[in-house]
Amino acid sequence: VSTAAECDHEFLSEPEFRAWHGALRFTTDALRAIDGALTDAHGMSITEFDVLITLFNAPGRRLRMSQLAESVLLTPSGLTGLVARLERDGLVTRVVDPEDRRSYFAVLTPAGATQLGEARITHNAVVRTRMVGPLTARQIQTLGSIWERLGAV
Amino acid sequence: VSTAAECDHEFLSEPEFRAWHGALRFTTDALRAIDGALTDAHGMSITEFDVLITLFNAPGRRLRMSQLAESVLLTPSGLTGLVARLERDGLVTRVVDPEDRRSYFAVLTPAGATQLGEARITHNAVVRTRMVGPLTARQIQTLGSIWERLGAV
DNA sequence: CAAGATTGATGTTTCAATCTTT
DNA sequence: AAAGATTGAAACATCAATCTTG
């Protein structure tokens, strides 16, 4: 995943390029590592993990399909398929919103919460190894404020 | 794209979570923005752009398929298909390596270089808007050294 | 037999069109 | 007519198996 390079100095300076390219490279590599670890240890993709943890943190452990799709950065139709798989595996159920019968809620099941709890250990271990470990507390803090500045919630 | 959250404080502190989650969110959003801009303006996906720019920066504007696949973070078979499409569009050609006839080189064509030149303007504009603009030179510098520390070349 | 690359089958995601409810 | 969500077709990437060259 490059996306620009040495030739670009007229438009993107060397430090600018490094800042962007490094972010891209780091997150891509980390995502692959997490996905691999989750798949090996729990047969769970990182997309599935993302849906489960997002539901876990939502009030009532439930979210409308459209809200969930946005949080997870998936298109509505993409989420439909993913939630269908999770429902087949018993980790999530779908219930109609009585207020607005066009809407469906995806709800985390107890089984889903259990699976998630195990997967989180794996997930956090990878994040610790690849990011938290090598950096100082000050650098961690700095990263956080930079993302805030960039509007990445 | 969450991947952890408020509940994780026992394992990942709040600043740690923010550092990781922000990186994920920022790069995902930026990638989508770049991909959308490239698609709208040039009918080019970010993966295609990545292949073209990587070839552009390679000596002789050519790279073995396996080397290219690694730089672009795609599997060999995934790259085969992508390069086939680029070849069909005349942006890249494939030539056998005379030294080792198992290997193919992907070579950027003049037409490919032209297309790339236009696309780079779009690409750099998005990176400027979303990252370079909002940050100070010092923050840009800091980001670069953090990625270096994390081994993200 | 090992290495570079491709093929075919599989799974996931997107896009356009559709259905239902408001 | 607009919004929430789903469906089917197509695009894209991955995996295992295969072919060719070393």
Side-chain angles (χ1 to χ4, degrees):
Chain A
V1 182
S2 323
T3 313
E6 296 76 12
C7 59
D8 259 13
H9 289 175
E10 318 150 43
F11 310 115
L12 238 43
S13 71
E14 171 71 15
E16 287 162 358
F17 172 71
R18 277 162 44 89
W20 162 242
H21 188 261
L24 199 51
R25 188 86 198 187
F26 170 71
T27 52
T28 305
D29 289 353
L31 274 175
R32 295 197 169 224
I34 294 171
D35 190 55
L38 287 175
T39 302
D40 290 349
H42 314 283
M44 180 187 294
S45 74
I46 192 167
T47 323
E48 293 167 335
F49 179 83
D50 200 10
V51 165
L52 297 182
I53 192 93
T54 301
L55 288 178
F56 184 86
N57 290 314
R61 293 187 175 182
R62 72 191 56 209
L63 233 37
R64 287 201 175 79
M65 292 295 280
S66 52
Q67 300 175 309
L68 186 53
E70 194 175 335
S71 311
V72 170
L73 289 178
L74 225 54
T75 59
S77 55
L79 184 65
T80 297
L82 178 50
V83 169
R85 274 173 268 151
L86 291 171
E87 190 175 28
R88 170 173 52 70
D89 296 343
L91 306 182
V92 158
T93 48
R94 286 158 26 96
V95 304
V96 183
D97 178 0
E99 307 278 317
D100 180 346
R101 297 209 307 280
R102 294 175 297 182
S103 255
Y104 280 85
F105 282 109
V107 189
L108 190 66
T109 64
T114 303
Q115 277 268 108
L116 173 62
E118 297 168 12
R120 262 181 36 204
I121 298 173
T122 301
H123 169 271
N124 289 344
V126 178
V127 173
R128 282 210 162 283
T129 302
R130 301 187 74 103
M131 194 194 73
V132 175
L135 297 183
T136 65
R138 179 132 174 45
Q139 287 173 314
I140 296 278
Q141 187 67 46
T142 301
L143 269 183
S145 41
I146 285 179
W147 303 136
E148 187 169 22
R149 179 67 176 275
L150 292 177
V153 187
Chain B
V1 180
S2 327
T3 314
E6 295 76 13
C7 60
D8 259 13
H9 289 178
E10 317 149 45
F11 310 113
L12 238 43
S13 71
E14 173 70 15
E16 287 163 357
F17 171 72
R18 277 162 43 89
W20 161 242
H21 188 262
L24 199 50
R25 189 85 199 187
F26 170 72
T27 52
T28 305
D29 290 352
L31 275 176
R32 293 195 171 227
I34 294 171
D35 190 55
L38 286 175
T39 301
D40 290 349
H42 315 281
M44 181 187 296
S45 74
I46 191 168
T47 322
E48 292 167 336
F49 179 83
D50 200 10
V51 166
L52 297 182
I53 191 94
T54 302
L55 288 178
F56 184 86
N57 290 314
R61 292 186 175 180
R62 73 191 55 210
L63 232 36
R64 287 203 174 76
M65 293 295 281
S66 51
Q67 300 174 311
L68 186 53
E70 194 174 335
S71 311
V72 169
L73 288 179
L74 224 55
T75 59
S77 54
L79 183 65
T80 296
L82 178 51
V83 168
R85 273 173 268 151
L86 291 172
E87 192 175 26
R88 171 173 51 69
D89 296 343
L91 307 182
V92 159
T93 46
R94 285 156 28 96
V95 303
V96 183
D97 177 1
E99 308 275 318
D100 181 346
R101 299 209 306 278
R102 294 174 299 185
S103 254
Y104 280 86
F105 281 110
V107 188
L108 191 65
T109 65
T114 303
Q115 277 269 109
L116 174 61
E118 297 168 13
R120 263 182 33 206
I121 298 173
T122 301
H123 170 272
N124 289 345
V126 178
V127 173
R128 283 211 162 281
T129 302
R130 302 187 72 103
M131 194 194 71
V132 174
L135 297 183
T136 65
R138 179 132 175 43
Q139 287 174 314
I140 296 277
Q141 187 68 46
T142 301
L143 267 185
S145 42
I146 286 179
W147 303 135
E148 187 170 23
R149 179 67 176 275
L150 291 177
V153 185

